[in-house]
Amino acid sequence: MAAGLDAARIVALPHDAFYISNFISEEEEVWLLQKVASAPLPRWTQLSHRRLQTWPSALTANNTLIAEPLPEWLVSPIIKPRFGRLGIFNNAPDQAPNHVLVNEYLPGQGIMPHEDGAAYHPLVATVSLGAPIVLDIYEKNIHDATSVQDVGTNDRNKPRFRILQERRSLLITTGAMYTDFLHGIAETTRDENINQTGICNWDLLREKECFREGYYQRETRVSLTYRDVLKVAKMGNTMKFLGGRR
Ligand SMILES: O=C(O)CCC(=O)C(=O)O
Ligand SMILES: [Fe+2]
């Protein structure tokens, strides 16, 4: 990871997570939200607790991406040059993201604790749009039925850390943060305990005064999550493969 990110490190977390509160401008946020909203309706997959767009396409059953460029609006002019300057994907096989999930959460919606898994280079870069949201971080063994005895008297459902993602921010999770922890977003209409002790990236926030009351009401929040899929198949090869079976 490039040295330029040192000031953005979330020091309260195990290695490595970085938070940049003003990654994009307000105008860029409006433009990106408008691009998300103008995607054709079939681009959205409606899940029970959020909806999502998958760019350029969903992975195949064996976690392979069919090679296809990302749409221009998701990379240039805003995101790709900034990722490049920060060196975020320097160690990834493609040295750039090749896959983006766009998640939309209405108030009351969220995502169950999960890990992103081995299909990707172990790094996620998340751009947040529209409204703040708390990302809950859980120790993996807490949810792993085979090691329930490790949990002792701890509340099994309590997050170990909470990261506040402001609108226009960038969050990068990699290293042990990617491999050893689960992440999720609570299905709530109000995130509470928003203060120095409850939020691990408090010192890096842009607008602490917005959270003076110690809570905020959820509003529609959109995330762009950039990743590098490890297995990529060229369409030509796939066609040859399919053709060869005839
Ligand atoms: O919306 C977010 O910040 C998290 C999304 C997420 O965890 C995922 O898409 O795998
Ligand atoms: Fe995830």
Side-chain angles (χ1 to χ4, degrees):
M1 191 68 61
L5 278 171
D6 271 355
R9 181 182 292 281
I10 306 178
V11 291
L13 289 178
H15 285 208
D16 292 307
F18 304 89
Y19 179 79
I20 297 177
S21 65
N22 60 343
F23 184 66
I24 60 165
S25 70
E26 286 184 36
E27 293 73 27
E28 290 164 343
E29 179 190 37
V30 169
W31 187 80
L32 284 167
L33 279 171
Q34 184 265 323
K35 290 290 183 190
V36 169
S38 63
L41 203 56
R43 265 281 161 197
W44 288 105
T45 305
Q46 183 66 56
L47 305 175
S48 50
H49 302 283
R50 74 194 144 103
R51 59 176 190 159
L52 114 131
Q53 295 176 13
T54 307
W55 297 97
S57 59
L59 306 190
T60 67
N62 72 350
N63 282 337
T64 302
L65 176 69
I66 306 299
E68 192 184 340
L70 286 165
E72 275 299 297
W73 64 270
L74 276 171
V75 280
S76 57
I78 304 171
I79 306 289
K80 202 174 172 190
R82 273 172 228 179
F83 281 5
R85 272 199 295 281
L86 292 168
I88 296 173
F89 282 90
N90 280 1
N91 296 329
D94 296 290
Q95 296 184 344
N98 59 15
H99 199 249
V100 181
L101 295 180
V102 178
N103 291 292
E104 182 194 71
Y105 307 84
L106 304 180
Q109 296 188 324
I111 185 167
M112 296 282 285
H114 66 281
E115 59 185 316
D116 290 349
Y120 309 99
H121 171 70
L123 184 147
V124 189
T126 304
V127 177
S128 287
L129 306 172
I133 213 159
V134 169
L135 187 73
D136 294 321
I137 307 292
Y138 301 85
E139 226 133 9
K140 221 165 165 177
N141 60 9
I142 288 178
H143 285 262
D144 180 350
T146 60
S147 55
V148 169
Q149 68 273 19
D150 295 343
V151 176
T153 55
N154 287 347
D155 179 351
R156 291 184 59 205
N157 297 318
K158 212 169 157 251
R160 173 85 192 278
F161 304 103
R162 295 165 74 233
I163 303 174
L164 179 55
Q165 294 174 271
E166 293 166 286
R167 57 192 291 180
R168 307 198 281 112
S169 71
L170 175 71
L171 175 69
I172 302 163
T173 51
T174 186
M177 277 305 295
Y178 184 97
T179 49
D180 299 352
F181 292 85
L182 306 180
H183 55 277
I185 291 173
E187 290 173 7
T188 182
T189 54
R190 186 169 145 153
D191 281 311
E192 313 261 5
N193 202 13
I194 308 298
N195 52 45
Q196 175 94 51
T197 47
I199 295 297
C200 68
N201 58 326
W202 182 258
D203 291 337
L204 295 169
L205 296 183
R206 184 185 69 234
E207 295 180 327
K208 292 195 189 72
E209 65 284 358
C210 295
F211 312 111
R212 212 178 305 113
E213 315 273 356
Y215 72 88
Y216 61 85
Q217 295 295 136
R218 286 268 188 93
E219 291 169 46
T220 301
R221 181 262 188 176
V222 170
S223 63
L224 315 178
T225 59
Y226 290 80
R227 301 179 179 82
D228 188 26
V229 178
L230 298 174
K231 283 195 271 179
V232 181
K234 295 262 188 310
M235 196 55 165
N237 292 344
T238 310
M239 287 303 193
K240 261 183 248 151
F241 169 72
L242 292 173
R245 288 153 59 110
R246 261 185 273 148

